[in-house]
Amino acid sequence: MKQSITLGKVTKFMGLGFLSTLKALFTGKLEKEDFIKFLRKIVVPLASILLFIGLWHLGAKTLYDREANFKIEKALEDQGPEAAEVMRACIASGDLSCQPNTLPAPAQVWESYKSLLRDHNIISADKAAFKEKTAALNAKRISEGRAPIVYTGRPSFIDQIVMSLKTVFAGFLLALVIAIPIGILIGLSPTLKSAFNWFIQIFKPVSPVVWYLLVFMIVKTVLIDSTEDSSFVISFISVGLCSMWATLVNTAMGVSSVDKDYINVAKVLKLGPFQKVFKVILPSSLPLIFTGLKITLSVAWMVLIAIELLAQSPGLGLFVWEEFQNGANDSNSKIIVAMFVIGIIGFLLDRLMLTIQNTVSFNKNEGL
Amino acid sequence: MNTVLKNRSLLDISDNGLFPPSNVMLDLKHLKKVYPTPKGDYVVLEDLNLQIMKEEFVTIIGHSGCGKTTMLSMIAGLNKISGGNISVLGSHIKGPGPDRGVIFQAPSLMPWMTSLQNVLLGVNQVFPHATKAQRNDIAKYYLQKVGLEDAFHKKASDLSQGMQQRVGIARAFAIKPKVLLLDEPFGMLDSLTRGELQDTLIEIWNKEKITAVMITHDVDEAIFLADRVVMMTSGPKAKIGDILEIDFQRPRTRKTVLEHDDYYKYRKHLIDFLEH
Ligand SMILES: Nc1ncnc2c1ncn2[C@@H]1O[C@H](COP(=O)(O)OP(=O)(O)OP(=O)(O)O)[C@@H](O)[C@H]1O
Ligand SMILES: [Mg+2]
């Protein structure tokens, strides 16, 4: 009875069905329909990616020329034709000191990406060396009951990604823990629903910035005695509060709109309240709850960047902000690297939720 | 398993000495149903009287919208009674309960459960003191009876409509109700599957003899299954228009019924009623 789980099933399950087409291509088992599928699922997306990069390249080049011309003309106006010639030569030579500051081209972004990875390797090596150096000392300190010395160097780009993921998962868990129980209660009881409805309607559209300020006001006072850095706490709570509404509303809706037939079955069988909730209502509202959770996770990831930036909590948001403030010649391309990383991680998180949803709920959703 | 079933044998109020013993299982008296609508009250049923005996199989036919589902869901306790009363074995019903099993038109299985779990949902509720193994036995027994011995562990959502309705039948019989209420249970099935399910239903019913009330649109189905066919008048204010006794002996087969001399007489009677 147990079905064998093949690679094809797993990938299809995760909404990555195109991988099996790729497999068919490499194993040489390509039929005519497969070929059309191959065109549609692999060639067309690849072509559109190339087109995108090409347009981006052209756009960046146009902007670059415009900015360069502006610089040269400004030099001409302010300092005369000689200075303008110097500027032209400087720009043409690729000297970093006079490069036009504008939208970076794809190649520059790729370079920045590689340099961020190199940077990460250097910092990791540094960290490892530090750990080795302090290992003996820290062991001693711990045995004496003192706090160990920790690495306080600059975090690498990868460290910041990890920090952001931590913040977003903490926020997501908070949202889940608050929104699902309240959603269930509201969905079950029309009285509670009308008691809470104004609250939901008013707080749902509040912007992440305002949530952050609100949480800041409260947490700052609550943690007044603590020496711990509260920025992480503040940012994950803000992320949780911003993003929980979709789950709350969807859970309530799922619970209150359970198929009437199921409710009738529960009534005829005289199921107790506990059985009714856990055997009938919750399983049948799981698809909607998961839709809510999926939205919550993607909203959490989206507002995270803004909130980290405000809270000065280490992570991708802070990275972007610091690069923007920094204004170094490769800052712009690092920001674009961060943009792609944020987008790709967002996409992967969405896939992750879809996979979990498909394993736990009864009606299978096809991914996009 | 049998001891479990017997322990919960029909609690017969009429046998407790207070009332004279009676063969009436289900008694509808002056039943009335009013639906409030924006255009004022709509009286669906008025002064509807019907008695159904123990171990009787009654089918109900009537025009669409006359109030059959309304009546049945009131018996099930899922729909409020506006006037009159309904009693089971002499005591008035108050809300739904497992003494009145229902088979809905849509199979209404929990799609995230297996067929066994769906049947167990009711069995666990009705036999809380039986051991787990006993309850499993009961559920499996009825699933076997409806021909699903190979599908105990299949998800309900993976079953065909006909198979789902078989689980619905097993679920209803497994809780050993006093009355079985069926609202067009085979209405959504193709005619071949419908015939098979009628056979399954009548087979299991022959064994259990649970008082059954079944709504159907199908005149042949009504005759094949019933001891009496109850005809409802068209609404509003619908009531019982006519009752036809079906005098075929049981157990019946489709063949003997179709070949019986009275069959066309019964059929004509019902169709004449529906056409007027
Ligand atoms: N909740 C409700 N509110 C108002 N009117 C209703 C409601 N439920 C049913 N009705 C009306 O009551 C009448 C009887 O409905 P009912 O569903 O009992 O008919 P039925 O005999 O089962 O019809 P069918 O054969 O089509 O199933 C119909 O006119 C219907 O429109
Ligand atoms: Mg109906």
Side-chain angles (χ1 to χ4, degrees), chain A residues 261-262 268-270 279 283-284, chain B residues 96-98 100 108-109 111-112 125:
Chain A
D261 285 346
Y262 302 159
V268 168
L269 296 178
K270 278 238 162 93
K279 290 241 158 123
S284 100
Chain B
R100 279 150 290 143
S108 316
L109 302 182
W112 53 88
Q125 199 62 20

Side-chain angles (χ1 to χ4, degrees), chain B residues 93-231:
Chain B
I93 61 159
K94 293 177 194 71
D99 60 331
R100 279 150 290 143
V102 185
I103 299 178
F104 300 93
Q105 177 165 22
S108 316
L109 302 182
M110 310 294 156
W112 53 88
M113 293 183 181
T114 63
S115 14
L116 187 62
Q117 286 168 333
N118 265 292
V119 178
L120 277 174
L121 188 68
V123 172
N124 289 341
Q125 199 62 20
V126 178
F127 304 108
H129 301 300
T131 67
K132 207 167 168 195
Q134 285 173 320
R135 293 188 296 225
N136 259 314
D137 283 347
I138 297 172
K140 284 182 177 169
Y141 172 80
Y142 283 101
L143 280 169
Q144 265 160 10
K145 281 276 161 230
V146 297
L148 288 180
E149 52 279 348
D150 294 330
F152 289 164
H153 302 292
K154 281 219 178 103
K155 275 257 167 69
S157 51
D158 293 341
L159 300 177
S160 69
Q161 278 272 342
M163 284 165 94
Q164 289 190 26
Q165 200 55 290
R166 284 175 191 270
V167 180
I169 294 174
R171 176 174 66 186
F173 276 95
I175 61 171
K176 289 257 142 191
K178 292 175 187 149
V179 182
L180 196 59
L181 305 168
L182 308 96
D183 189 355
E184 295 184 51
F186 311 139
M188 278 154 77
L189 306 174
D190 61 89
S191 57
L192 204 67
T193 317
R194 186 185 312 181
E196 287 169 10
L197 269 122
Q198 286 165 2
D199 291 340
T200 304
L201 174 67
I202 209 65
E203 214 170 279
I204 186 167
W205 185 84
N206 282 335
K207 259 214 156 68
E208 312 269 331
K209 293 281 182 193
I210 292 171
T211 307
V213 184
M214 171 164 158
I215 297 173
T216 175
H217 269 131
D218 182 338
V219 172
D220 300 301
E221 181 173 275
I223 300 171
F224 177 51
L225 296 174
D227 297 311
R228 284 191 295 161
V229 182
V230 171
M231 289 154 267

Side-chain angles (χ1 to χ4, degrees), chain A residues 19-30 34-35 38 42:
Chain A
L19 285 182
S20 57
T21 320
L22 209 59
K23 190 178 145 221
L25 179 73
F26 283 121
T27 50
K29 279 188 285 185
L30 215 55
D34 283 338
F35 182 69
F38 166 72
I42 294 163

Side-chain angles (χ1 to χ4, degrees), chain B residues 35 37 42 44 63-70 184 217:
Chain B
Y35 283 122
T37 68
Y42 180 70
V44 190
H63 284 285
S64 186
C66 73
K68 304 181 292 296
T69 297
T70 302
E184 295 184 51
H217 269 131

